[in-house]
Amino acid sequence: MKTKEERKQRKAERKRKPHFVRHSFGMAFGVIFLGAAIVIPQITMPFNGMLQGFMGDMDIDITEKKTQDILNQGKDLSMDIEREGAVLLKNENETLPLAKDVNKVNVFGWASTQWLGGGSGSGQIISTDETILTALKNYGIEYNEELEKMYQDFCGEREYKNALSSRPKDFSRLYEPDINDGESYTEELLQNAKDYSDTAIVVIGRPTGESNDNPQKQYKINKKDGEVVVDDTRTSLDLSTEEEALLTYAGANFEHVIVVLNTGNVMTLGQIETIDGIDACLLAGYTGQYAASVLPEILWGDVNPSGHTADTWAYDFNTAASYANAGENGVGSYSNGKGLYPYNGTSNGNLGEEFQYDQVSYEDYAEGIYVGYKWYETADAEGYWNQVENDHGKGYEGVVQYPFGYGLTYSQIRYSDAHADVTDFGILEPVTVHVTVENTGTYPVQEAVQVYVRFSEREAYDPGYQLKGIRSVALECGEKKEVCITLSTRDFALISEEGKCLVHPGSYDF
């Protein structure tokens, strides 16, 4: 097992390095949104006949074959998005991809039996036809069905599946048996798991949905037919004590341990670094109806993960400027709201007809522009984190676990010759940023080149580095390409405290 010093050294090697062009992109969901934007024309093409039909130009083709063709295109698209969007957060000692002779695995975590395809409300899907377990089976990988049966016996399914008909404490409820609970994890079951395979996949899942903020405390069930336990020392997006104990057990008892995150939320995952024996972590996100089917392709190396985080993953939510007004903390009530909508007898659609709103609410977004990575990067530029020192590191390194745009691959990418073409007219004319990108690894990769801009003489209210350009490039093994990204005047504009759009004269960092 690695010592604390070795872990710190390893982390220092993988952390962000300052350079003019920061080569990173958005996480699974950022890639999903970008992918959607790119493929909108391809998506709408099959519906052209339908749209024209509504306009009276032609008949609508609603044959079974045409319908199935459209459904198949959507299915293929969703799988491509997952292949390119899954984020590899950790990969110690090249644990991933798994060797082809690894054909049996243990899958731990109650969430493995309740795989999440999407969120609730507008993000809800009809069904999740492919899960991580069905994907493994279809790929030819055997998994320990004794563990699956235990989890199903512990709790067959979530009691509350839709955020629009439940309270946050119900919809965000966590389910996980305690590894020390002999009723669920019997000695025989644990010994059988060790004998079954030296590889363990641990699934961590978090539901999310419209109209419900994740609670700032945990409501969980950790015993079969048990009562709800409240842990007010951890938020619902922290690992629970049961999940932490499960990871500790897996790290101590299995040769290879891979964590798979089935979540649409940013979580706090400091234990992924500090628990010995956790080799790899893959952010699968929500996989829709079918896209979980490609997860074995990623884990066994048929696909090189190329997604990057679309938000900053911090060690502690308290470090976010928006956290003070998050959830219930940020909801205020107008003192003169009675009789006004919705405090006028309107029923609360979240909870059913018998519940009525009892106030007119408001939320103070006191953080202004300091949301997500703009907050963490600006605070870093202001030296706000200088006094931080903990087990994770000093300063920014002790605050941020996975920066915006972080993501590993099975390849090694080298950046060189970064420069910008600036005309005599300065930033009033387009500026083109150039960089050479080379795949020096042994796997083809889809790399996303990302350009950030920062005004060198920035004022205190100016944000730090801001994402202003992005370009995806496919690289075969050993291939080298020059990537050019053009920025317009608008990309250098800042909003003043008076709300005016300004372009500061002076120098800029890329």
Side-chain angles (χ1 to χ4, degrees):
M1 295 183 181
K2 297 176 286 298
T3 65
K4 182 175 179 181
E5 289 71 23
E6 290 172 330
R7 286 200 305 269
K8 285 187 175 181
Q9 181 179 358
R10 173 67 175 172
K11 179 182 174 184
E13 292 172 353
R14 69 171 171 82
K15 275 293 186 181
R16 63 173 190 164
K17 297 181 176 62
H19 43 64
F20 293 104
V21 181
R22 299 174 68 181
H23 55 288
S24 41
F25 183 46
M27 93 174 139
F29 317 103
V31 174
I32 286 174
F33 297 146
L34 178 67
I38 293 173
V39 300
I40 285 294
Q42 286 76 10
I43 295 174
T44 57
M45 284 178 61
F47 295 97
N48 284 344
M50 183 183 298
L51 297 174
Q52 292 177 12
F54 287 136
M55 301 298 291
D57 293 341
M58 61 184 295
D59 294 331
I60 301 173
D61 184 353
I62 54 173
T63 62
E64 184 176 345
K65 181 180 183 304
K66 186 69 172 179
T67 301
Q68 192 58 50
D69 286 346
I70 293 173
L71 291 174
N72 288 338
Q73 290 177 35
K75 180 178 179 180
D76 292 342
L77 175 62
S78 70
M79 293 191 292
D80 285 343
I81 289 172
E82 181 65 26
R83 290 185 182 102
E84 294 193 20
V87 186
L88 184 60
L89 296 175
K90 180 177 182 177
N91 193 23
E92 295 288 337
N93 303 317
E94 298 183 343
T95 296
L96 293 178
L98 293 169
K100 292 298 183 181
D101 60 0
V102 176
N103 52 25
K104 297 174 68 175
V105 296
N106 292 291
V107 183
F108 285 93
W110 179 85
S112 65
T113 63
Q114 287 289 295
W115 187 262
L116 296 165
S120 177
S122 301
Q124 192 170 6
I125 63 173
I126 297 174
S127 63
T128 305
D129 294 352
E130 291 286 345
T131 70
I132 190 169
L133 296 180
T134 60
L136 290 170
K137 184 174 293 186
N138 293 335
Y139 192 75
I141 303 298
E142 298 179 39
Y143 64 85
N144 187 342
E145 295 186 13
E146 188 178 9
L147 283 172
E148 178 189 17
K149 291 176 181 176
M150 181 273 287
Y151 290 126
Q152 290 174 336
D153 182 62
F154 167 77
C155 183
E157 60 182 9
R158 290 181 174 86
E159 183 177 354
Y160 298 92
K161 297 183 179 180
N162 194 327
L164 296 180
S165 58
S166 61
R167 298 180 185 275
K169 66 184 181 65
D170 300 322
F171 179 70
S172 298
R173 184 181 299 171
L174 306 181
Y175 299 83
E176 194 70 60
D178 191 332
I179 190 70
N180 299 307
D181 178 8
E183 182 179 358
S184 294
Y185 287 105
T186 65
E187 290 185 12
E188 180 182 9
L189 180 141
L190 293 175
Q191 185 57 53
N192 289 345
K194 294 179 186 179
D195 296 338
Y196 187 84
S197 173
D198 65 357
T199 299
I201 296 174
V202 182
V203 177
I204 305 293
R206 286 295 185 276
T208 188
E210 181 182 358
S211 297
N212 265 327
D213 288 335
N214 291 84
Q216 291 175 313
K217 59 180 68 175
Q218 291 184 353
Y219 300 87
K220 59 187 182 180
I221 291 180
N222 55 17
K223 288 184 177 294
K224 179 181 178 181
D225 301 324
E227 298 294 325
V228 175
V229 177
V230 181
D231 183 350
D232 58 8
T233 67
R234 301 187 182 209
T235 78
S236 59
L237 295 177
D238 295 323
L239 293 179
S240 67
T241 53
E242 290 77 18
E243 290 168 333
E244 187 174 351
L246 176 59
L247 290 172
T248 301
Y249 175 84
N253 288 277
F254 294 91
E255 183 69 23
H256 308 293
V257 179
I258 301 103
V259 177
V260 175
L261 301 175
N262 180 207
T263 175
N265 301 87
V266 170
M267 297 180 62
T268 60
L269 297 172
Q271 298 95 326
I272 298 296
E273 293 180 1
T274 58
I275 295 175
D276 285 325
I278 305 300
D279 301 301
C281 182
L282 179 74
L283 173 60
Y286 291 155
T287 55
Q289 193 170 356
Y290 300 110
S293 60
V294 307
L295 291 177
E297 297 178 18
I298 299 171
L299 295 173
W300 271 265
D302 300 333
V303 172
N304 189 355
S306 58
H308 299 258
T309 53
D311 208 335
T312 300
W313 291 56
Y315 290 110
D316 189 334
F317 289 121
N318 277 299
T319 59
S322 58
Y323 188 71
N325 288 327
E328 296 179 355
N329 292 346
V331 178
S333 174
Y334 287 105
S335 60
N336 60 345
K338 191 170 184 179
L340 302 177
Y341 175 83
Y343 191 17
N344 59 355
T346 300
S347 296
N348 187 331
N350 243 39
L351 302 175
E353 292 299 322
E354 67 271 28
F355 293 92
Q356 294 181 338
Y357 288 98
D358 57 2
Q359 65 181 45
V360 178
S361 302
Y362 66 88
E363 184 102 15
D364 277 334
Y365 293 98
E367 61 274 9
I369 67 168
Y370 298 117
V371 179
Y373 82 92
K374 288 184 180 179
W375 159 246
Y376 285 96
E377 298 301 321
T378 306
D380 186 40
E382 289 294 305
Y384 189 74
W385 314 121
N386 287 353
Q387 304 305 313
V388 173
E389 183 173 357
N390 53 40
D391 288 343
H392 304 296
K394 296 181 179 180
Y396 182 97
E397 309 299 332
V399 175
V400 174
Q401 183 172 14
Y402 305 122
F404 177 89
Y406 177 82
L408 305 174
T409 76
Y410 300 151
S411 291
Q412 290 79 45
I413 308 299
R414 178 182 298 161
Y415 280 69
S416 62
D417 193 25
H419 62 280
D421 291 338
V422 182
T423 68
D424 293 336
F425 299 100
I427 61 175
L428 297 181
E429 296 293 331
V431 174
T432 300
V433 179
H434 304 260
V435 65
T436 300
V437 188
E438 181 181 6
N439 179 4
T440 62
T442 57
Y443 289 86
V445 67
Q446 188 78 25
E447 177 71 352
V449 180
Q450 198 170 3
V451 177
Y452 289 81
V453 173
R454 183 180 70 174
F455 181 51
S456 300
E457 293 86 30
R458 56 179 296 278
E459 302 292 339
Y461 59 84
D462 293 338
Y465 280 108
Q466 296 185 77
L467 176 64
K468 294 298 183 180
I470 192 167
R471 181 69 53 81
S472 181
V473 56
L475 296 168
E476 296 296 325
C477 302
E479 189 174 11
K480 179 190 299 185
K481 291 182 179 178
E482 182 185 27
V483 178
C484 303
I485 299 176
T486 299
L487 309 179
S488 67
T489 303
R490 184 181 181 87
D491 293 318
F492 296 88
L494 296 171
I495 304 299
S496 70
E497 289 183 306
E498 295 77 25
K500 296 180 180 180
C501 184
L502 305 174
V503 178
H504 291 306
S507 61
Y508 288 79
D509 299 325
F510 292 90

